[in-house]
Amino acid sequence: MGILKDFLLQLTLLVIPIFIYFTIVLEKVRNDKKIKMIMTLLWGMSIILCMSFPVTFGDGARLDIRFIPLLLGALYLGAWPGIFLSILIILYRLSFGVSPGFYNTVLVLVLSLPIILLFQKSFERSKKDKRVYMALLLSLYYSLIGLTLFSVLNGFSIDHLKVQMIHLIFLVAITWFCIVLIETIREIRHLRAEVQESEKLRVISELTSVFAHEIRNPMQVTRGFLQLLNEPDLPQQKKEYINVSIEELDRANEIINDFLSLGKPTVQHNGKINVGDQLERVAVIIQSFSPNLHVEIKTDILENCWIDADPHKLNQSLINILKNAVESMPNGGVVWLTCHSTNDDYIKITIKDQGIGMTKQQLERLGSPYYSLKEKGTGLGMMVSYQIIRSFKGKIIVNSEKGKGTEFIILLPQAS
């Protein structure tokens, strides 16, 4: 009974930081650096408590799961938190005195941490199932390294082997439980956010259907009268005022069009189309709109990129994304357009620029209502693009780095 209580205590010491993170830290703290710092400290406390209250059984055997807070901290927070937590383990273990156990701790961390950090980026980009497998493999690797070094430093015995095997099973099982728990809570939060966004879209749809047309009519009348006032003998300054007014009315009209795209029911006229042809057409359109931006559009398009989609809606989505790519390079540059088929029956469209790029926080908000990186943008164009791609049962993946550019990857099911 005492062993079970010790095991449950160790598990509790791991679960508490997870719930603090999702229920308090994410709700109250918005700064990414502060979140990482708080979670690093929470995992550090978890490590110290796990090492202070180990599972004791048999002939003085002591086991703890200090590795799991280290693993979770390194995989979810990054390299520096992982290094900090490793140093914390070594220093706290040193406080118990120098012994074969201390050397074992240091050697295991030296052999384990570089492998964890090697997989960290891949773990960050992976989906739930792959993350679980990676964490389990890393946990198993750590346990086997620990078992081997323990046998080398302390000598091999059946009793020691039994203890280490119990530790291995316990460590792997708890790792699986914690990763699945974290990923499940993250999925629930993501679904909740999607429901909230859907509710916002529903409200927007209802409002646009009522107001958009009524707003557009007086705007068109105003624009017409401004054009009539723009006579050749007007002073240059007044002509500039009229031109600016017309440009602003046109911009407002574009915003209304985006609202209407969200508000009206999506009636699609899908058919079998070649994405390559659409990309070539979109490239010509965008190039003609931005001749003074010194942007070169390069294409690498394979034949037979066929999908089932509405060509007009697909073009609208591609134009929005490509226009953003071009406008993200005020000093000029190159935009690459590619189209290939993948091994898993998708057509992969890539739009890659050399623009200003985005931070992780900006990436997370991309495609949300009213969020735009442009000074006069509304974010509705990108939101419509996401909506269109999803309506074709496709998905958008965005990779970006501040100051280095952005890559949009659009995956659409290949036509049968």
Side-chain angles (χ1 to χ4, degrees):
M1 194 67 180
I3 295 174
L4 181 60
K5 284 168 61 179
D6 289 342
F7 274 122
L8 290 175
L9 176 61
Q10 292 273 308
L11 179 59
T12 304
L13 295 174
L14 281 179
V15 171
I16 287 174
I18 295 172
F19 280 102
I20 291 175
Y21 172 69
F22 283 110
T23 57
I24 299 174
V25 177
L26 280 185
E27 298 296 330
K28 303 293 184 183
V29 185
R30 299 298 174 201
N31 186 289
D32 246 16
K33 288 184 179 178
K34 287 183 180 178
I35 289 174
K36 280 191 175 183
M37 186 166 58
I38 292 169
M39 286 311 300
T40 301
L41 293 174
L42 284 172
W43 288 128
M45 289 176 60
S46 180
I47 286 170
I48 290 172
L49 291 170
C50 283
M51 293 174 70
S52 300
F53 303 99
V55 178
T56 56
F57 62 96
D59 189 18
R62 294 162 58 89
L63 300 178
D64 63 67
I65 50 175
R66 71 189 82 165
F67 171 72
I68 299 178
L70 168 63
L71 179 67
L72 297 176
L75 290 179
Y76 283 103
L77 302 179
W80 288 111
I83 293 168
F84 171 81
L85 294 172
S86 298
I87 293 171
L88 181 66
I89 290 174
I90 292 170
L91 292 177
Y92 192 63
R93 181 63 184 80
L94 183 62
S95 68
F96 295 117
V98 177
S99 63
F102 170 75
Y103 295 121
N104 186 74
T105 298
V106 173
L107 288 172
V108 170
L109 287 174
V110 167
L111 293 172
S112 300
L113 185 63
I115 303 299
I116 297 171
L117 298 182
L118 183 66
F119 282 93
Q120 195 270 330
K121 290 293 182 185
S122 178
F123 179 87
E124 206 172 45
R125 294 191 295 266
S126 299
K127 293 183 179 179
K128 176 183 174 180
D129 291 342
K130 192 174 179 183
R131 286 186 174 196
V132 173
Y133 291 137
M134 288 173 67
L136 289 177
L137 288 173
L138 289 170
S139 184
L140 185 62
Y141 169 79
Y142 171 88
S143 299
L144 292 174
I145 290 291
L147 192 153
T148 304
L149 289 174
F150 186 87
S151 299
V152 170
L153 293 172
N154 297 279
F156 178 80
S157 72
I158 297 297
D159 290 337
H160 286 160
L161 180 62
K162 288 179 182 177
V163 170
Q164 292 300 316
M165 288 305 296
I166 291 170
H167 186 241
L168 185 152
I169 294 166
F170 183 52
L171 198 68
V172 171
I174 297 301
T175 300
W176 174 84
F177 173 80
C178 288
I179 293 288
V180 169
L181 179 64
I182 291 171
E183 293 299 322
T184 302
I185 296 174
R186 288 180 69 175
E187 280 185 351
I188 292 169
R189 283 182 60 85
H190 181 68
L191 288 171
R192 189 179 71 179
E194 284 189 347
V195 169
Q196 290 172 344
E197 291 300 321
S198 298
E199 183 61 22
K200 287 181 185 177
L201 287 176
R202 187 186 64 79
V203 173
I204 291 171
S205 298
E206 292 177 358
L207 290 174
T208 52
S209 61
V210 175
F211 294 115
H213 289 294
E214 296 301 323
I215 294 170
R216 176 180 279 171
N217 290 337
M219 283 175 52
Q220 293 300 327
V221 173
T222 305
R223 191 182 191 282
F225 280 119
L226 284 170
Q227 286 177 315
L228 290 173
L229 290 171
N230 195 7
E231 295 177 351
D233 56 347
L234 272 178
Q236 185 60 34
Q237 190 176 24
K238 289 187 177 180
K239 282 189 173 185
E240 288 178 6
Y241 290 158
I242 290 173
N243 288 332
V244 169
S245 299
I246 291 173
E247 286 175 7
E248 288 301 304
L249 284 170
D250 288 340
R251 190 174 75 85
N253 194 49
E254 287 180 9
I255 294 170
I256 290 172
N257 286 335
D258 287 336
F259 268 114
L260 287 173
S261 296
L262 291 171
K264 64 188 177 184
T266 54
V267 179
Q268 294 184 8
H269 302 284
N270 288 1
K272 194 174 180 181
I273 59 172
N274 191 334
V275 177
D277 295 340
Q278 304 300 318
L279 273 177
E280 295 280 7
R281 185 165 178 263
V282 166
V284 171
I285 292 170
I286 293 297
Q287 198 80 67
S288 65
F289 281 168
S290 53
N292 300 321
L293 290 179
H294 309 292
V295 173
E296 182 184 0
I297 298 178
K298 293 185 177 181
T299 59
D300 178 18
I301 298 170
L302 294 185
E303 295 181 359
N304 300 320
C305 288
W306 295 93
I307 64 168
D308 286 311
D310 184 330
H312 300 295
K313 287 189 175 296
L314 178 64
N315 283 354
Q316 182 185 0
S317 177
L318 294 175
I319 286 171
N320 279 336
I321 295 172
L322 184 55
K323 187 167 175 282
N324 282 347
V326 170
E327 291 174 349
S328 74
M329 298 186 290
N331 300 319
V334 179
V335 177
W336 289 272
L337 291 182
T338 66
C339 180
H340 303 91
S341 59
T342 65
N343 295 329
D344 51 354
D345 296 326
Y346 275 91
I347 296 299
K348 180 181 178 182
I349 304 167
T350 305
I351 301 174
K352 186 176 181 181
D353 63 59
Q354 297 176 315
I356 56 175
M358 290 177 279
T359 63
K360 186 178 178 182
Q361 294 89 342
Q362 290 170 335
L363 270 177
E364 288 173 354
R365 295 189 63 190
L366 195 66
S368 300
Y370 312 119
Y371 181 73
S372 175
L373 297 176
K374 300 177 192 174
E375 187 178 346
K376 295 184 178 181
T378 62
L380 293 173
M382 188 58 67
M383 189 177 173
V384 170
S385 298
Y386 272 71
Q387 193 179 59
I388 289 170
I389 297 301
R390 288 179 188 134
S391 72
F392 297 148
K393 298 181 181 177
K395 50 190 173 182
I396 297 180
I397 301 166
V398 187
N399 302 314
S400 187
E401 190 172 346
K402 194 70 175 175
K404 293 190 177 180
T406 302
E407 179 186 47
F408 277 84
I409 299 170
I410 302 170
L411 296 171
L412 295 166
Q414 193 167 6
S416 53

